[in-house]
Amino acid sequence: MTEFSFKFIDLLLLFEKTPMLMVMWAAFGYIFSSFILLIPSMILRKMGVMFKLDKIMGVVGVIIVLTWLVGFITQMILLFTDVPGSKMFIIWILMLFTFIIFAITNYQMIVKYLNTIGKTKS
């Protein structure tokens, strides 16, 4: 039987040695996440399926922006207060999961808000 070869402990040890990497991920990781989500979005748009997924991609965009804004500010504060890098990583992951759960439970409200913003800009 094969096993997943990702070494979570090694990642935590890396963040423990250099907590600045966690701040860098919180600051610029959303760019990589956006590009990763942009590729399937472009493929689906070419296939004509994107009209069904526009609302979902908008909610995912809200999650990414919230994680970037709040995550970067929080990680900077934690860095300057000498919190260990492994704790910074766990806090950031918990924030991400909290935003995902918030977006799932408040999906209709977020879509309604995004539609309101879209109408006022037009």
Side-chain angles (χ1 to χ4, degrees):
M1 183 172 167
T2 61
E3 66 181 44
F4 190 59
S5 64
F6 181 71
K7 298 182 179 171
F8 183 72
I9 302 298
D10 292 340
L11 182 65
L12 286 177
L13 291 174
L14 176 68
F15 287 139
E16 190 69 32
K17 292 177 187 173
T18 54
M20 188 62 178
L21 287 177
M22 192 59 232
V23 174
M24 295 298 286
W25 174 254
F28 302 112
Y30 79 98
I31 295 172
F32 301 117
S33 301
S34 298
F35 283 131
I36 289 171
L37 292 174
L38 183 66
I39 294 169
S41 173
M42 289 173 48
I43 292 170
L44 291 173
R45 191 174 298 269
K46 294 288 183 182
M47 292 172 49
V49 182
M50 194 57 195
F51 67 91
K52 296 177 182 175
L53 297 175
D54 275 341
K55 293 178 183 178
I56 294 172
M57 293 304 278
V59 172
V60 169
V62 169
I63 293 170
I64 290 172
V65 169
L66 277 175
T67 305
W68 174 62
L69 289 174
V70 178
F72 177 65
I73 293 169
T74 306
Q75 295 301 316
M76 287 299 293
I77 292 170
L78 293 173
L79 179 71
F80 290 127
T81 56
D82 294 328
V83 173
S86 58
K87 289 183 182 179
M88 291 170 62
F89 175 73
I90 292 170
I91 290 169
W92 188 83
I93 290 293
L94 288 175
M95 285 175 31
L96 176 65
F97 285 137
T98 303
F99 293 142
I100 290 171
I101 291 169
F102 173 80
I104 290 170
T105 57
N106 295 312
Y107 173 77
Q108 292 180 353
M109 180 189 70
I110 294 171
V111 169
K112 189 184 301 183
Y113 179 72
L114 291 175
N115 288 336
T116 304
I117 290 174
K119 290 178 184 176
T120 58
K121 287 186 177 182
S122 300

